[in-house]
Amino acid sequence: MSHRLTVFGTGYLGATHAVCMAELGYDVLGVDVDAAKVATLAGGEVPFYEPGLEPLLRKNVDAGRLRFTTSYAEAAAFGDVHFVCVGTPQKAGEYAADMTFVDSVVTGLAPHLTRECVVVGKSTVPVGTAARLAARLAAEAPAGAGVELAWNPEFLREGFAVEDTLRPDRLVFGVRDGGRAERVLREVFAPLIEVGTPVVVTDLPTAELVKVSANAFLATKISFINAMAEVCEVAHADVKKLSEALSYDTRIGGRFLHAGLGFGGGCLPKDIRAFMARAGELGVDQALSFLREVDAINQRRRARMVDLARELVGGSFHEMRIAVLGAAFKPNSDDIRDSPSLDVSSTIHRSGGTVTVYDPAAMDNARRLHPELRYADSAVEAATGADVVLHLTEWREFRDMDPAAISGVVRERRIVDGRNALDPARWRDAGWTYRALGRP
Ligand code: UDX
């Protein structure tokens, strides 16, 4: 069955989805309102850092299976399955998700839909959105009932986006009874289903909820261990050992149980807030009030990191130089959305410290958002003259770093491991004061 697919939105999610669908053999048209992004992608270049994506983009652009456009009319004429992959960021000054981009895709696309097709939402949205969009499509598309809406949430992690898209741990198809959407989705994802990927078919609201509840669970797991870290700090216990011991209980499991500076990024923080906001609208805010605590625990880790750094430099950041290793919200990404590292960096800067940041991939993004900070071209340069080094994003380059590489350049050998990813013995043996979150 040869479907022609379009993908609206060519950010981290959409670009990856478009490339991977082309890799599965489909003719794919990526659509974005940003002409510069479209030109970059059409030229075979990925405008963000995602390991393994660019070679696949080039291969599929060269093979003629993957094209990009800004034209909704062209997209409507071309595709019979339209994926919606635009962002749903947090609204300024509110917890709720900003639905502008999702709605504008429907506004732009619907008038051009003159024949049967399926519109498949992948964006993370407040529950109830799919039903609302289905009604809009029925009213605004010339093909009317010939346009079906389905929801197929995406669980990919940045840094592993290609792997997660081509080998997902499950597929969720939210569809309406009696429609064609389930059959179409089974055909589109046949190469993944044939190798055993489990498929869960649900109604639309359940599919929307799967995504936000998965992220709420992951955020809760991280904040749980970070709450234990808070207790460990006053009880002189070691959260890393605690977490290891918990991890052998298969009911608990060790993944997402790493204590440290906590979660950031474009998904977990805004998704739990949007989930709380939506629950409030639905009159069940009590059901999710624990997420307020999950968020608060996460924010307190950042404050604790600032306090620990201040303590190490003698009680005040005044005239102190602080080296920050890592700016991205996690390693293997250049994404700095709600980055814990940059949050800590700018708080220290505002408290009078001189902060110099180095990151292997996120420098340009960090510079744009935080021009007030200083930037270095390497870890060694960032550490030069530092009174304390803060390890805030656990890139391999930092985890593997030999303390000797920077021992000679710092003013004081003090390091705070914000990710519990360095070997304390190695740093202490090299004459460093090593401190970490949740550990003695
Ligand atoms: C997340 C979900 O994992 C993914 O399924 C969803 O589709 C989008 O949101 P992502 O934002 O790419 O993906 O990052 P993830 O790898 O989940 O990490 C989120 C944050 O949690 C990072 O800041 C990371 O440093 C932090 N984290 C993760 C911890 O602090 N401890 C952990 O044990 C795991």
Side-chain angles (χ1 to χ4, degrees), residues 15-16 29 41 53 77 81 87 95 103 123 135 137 147 152 199 227 241 262 276 289 346 380 390 436-437:
T16 306
L29 184 58
L41 287 160
L53 188 57
V81 182
Y95 268 15
D103 273 295
S123 305
L137 285 167
V147 179
N152 166 228
V199 178
K241 283 284 167 204
M276 283 187 266
S289 59
S346 67
V380 175
L390 309 183
L437 296 171

Side-chain angles (χ1 to χ4, degrees), residues 1 3 26 80-81 83 117-120 147-152 171-191 193 197-204 207:
M1 184 73 207
H3 289 289
Y26 294 107
D80 50 82
V81 182
F83 287 98
C117 63
V118 182
V119 175
V120 185
V147 179
E148 251 189 69
L149 184 85
W151 217 262
N152 166 228
L171 288 164
V172 176
F173 298 158
V175 296
R176 282 187 158 161
D177 282 342
R180 314 177 313 280
E182 181 184 343
R183 177 178 54 76
V184 169
L185 284 168
R186 282 186 185 277
E187 284 164 4
V188 168
F189 289 102
I193 298 170
T197 310
V199 178
V200 181
V201 180
T202 76
D203 50 32
L204 294 173

Side-chain angles (χ1 to χ4, degrees), residues 13 82-88 99 101-103 105-106 118-134 137 148-155 171-176 181-182 185 189 199-212:
L13 165 58
H82 304 285
F83 287 98
V84 180
C85 296
V86 291
T88 52
M99 299 304 292
F101 304 114
V102 172
D103 273 295
V105 168
V106 172
V118 182
V119 175
V120 185
K122 287 187 89 65
S123 305
T124 302
V125 294
V127 61
T129 300
R132 184 172 66 76
L133 297 181
L137 285 167
E148 251 189 69
L149 184 85
W151 217 262
N152 166 228
E154 180 55 59
F155 305 98
L171 288 164
V172 176
F173 298 158
V175 296
R176 282 187 158 161
E182 181 184 343
L185 284 168
F189 289 102
V199 178
V200 181
V201 180
T202 76
D203 50 32
L204 294 173
T206 306
E208 292 169 308
L209 279 173
V210 171
K211 176 58 194 275
V212 281

Side-chain angles (χ1 to χ4, degrees), residues 154-428:
E154 180 55 59
F155 305 98
L156 68 80
R157 298 160 299 165
E158 285 173 24
F160 302 91
V162 172
E163 170 72 16
D164 285 353
T165 306
L166 290 176
R167 275 168 288 277
D169 42 24
R170 81 288 212 188
L171 288 164
V172 176
F173 298 158
V175 296
R176 282 187 158 161
D177 282 342
R180 314 177 313 280
E182 181 184 343
R183 177 178 54 76
V184 169
L185 284 168
R186 282 186 185 277
E187 284 164 4
V188 168
F189 289 102
L192 310 185
I193 298 170
E194 276 157 20
V195 297
T197 310
V199 178
V200 181
V201 180
T202 76
D203 50 32
L204 294 173
T206 306
E208 292 169 308
L209 279 173
V210 171
K211 176 58 194 275
V212 281
S213 53
N215 279 354
F217 188 87
L218 295 172
T220 303
K221 204 171 171 192
I222 297 168
S223 277
F224 172 83
I225 199 64
N226 282 333
M228 296 307 109
E230 282 188 49
V231 178
C232 285
E233 278 156 19
V234 293
H236 310 289
D238 183 338
V239 76
K240 190 144 175 159
K241 283 284 167 204
L242 176 74
S243 157
E244 184 195 341
L246 291 176
S247 74
Y248 293 116
D249 185 329
T250 52
R251 294 170 303 176
I252 298 174
R255 298 181 68 190
F256 274 69
L257 207 60
H258 301 291
L261 195 51
F263 57 82
C267 293
L268 299 191
K270 66 105 176 155
D271 284 353
I272 60 170
R273 292 173 196 150
F275 200 11
M276 283 187 266
R278 184 64 183 141
E281 287 168 6
L282 295 171
V284 287
D285 41 331
Q286 276 195 336
L288 297 189
S289 59
F290 73 96
L291 288 178
R292 218 170 261 285
E293 207 47 55
V294 166
D295 202 1
I297 292 165
N298 197 51
Q299 294 299 328
R300 281 206 298 276
R301 289 291 76 189
R302 302 179 186 190
R304 171 69 184 147
M305 173 50 84
V306 173
D307 290 346
L308 199 50
R310 189 189 289 110
E311 187 190 312
L312 271 178
V313 297
S316 162
F317 289 120
H318 187 62
E319 300 205 325
M320 291 294 153
R321 290 175 169 273
I322 292 82
V324 168
L325 303 183
F329 83 101
K330 66 171 190 180
N332 302 312
S333 171
D334 66 352
D335 194 345
I336 55 158
R337 286 177 291 174
D338 206 341
S339 161
S341 161
L342 289 177
D343 195 359
V344 166
S345 300
S346 67
T347 305
I348 295 178
H349 169 82
R350 284 195 307 273
S351 315
T354 302
V355 182
T356 307
V357 180
Y358 167 69
D359 187 282
M363 297 294 278
D364 290 345
N365 288 341
R367 265 197 200 97
R368 256 195 302 277
L369 193 68
H370 289 285
E372 78 281 11
L373 302 174
R374 296 186 182 197
Y375 294 92
D377 291 331
S378 67
V380 175
E381 192 187 321
T384 301
D387 296 286
V388 64
V389 176
L390 309 183
H391 174 238
L392 303 186
T393 312
E394 70 278 32
W395 284 90
R396 172 159 289 280
E397 174 182 337
F398 305 143
R399 296 197 312 259
D400 290 348
M401 194 160 68
D402 184 348
I406 57 169
S407 289
V409 301
V410 295
R411 193 145 68 184
E412 296 290 340
R413 294 183 187 184
R414 303 170 180 138
I415 187 158
V416 188
D417 182 4
R419 293 295 177 181
N420 281 311
L422 306 176
D423 178 359
R426 204 167 167 215
W427 286 83
R428 287 183 177 134

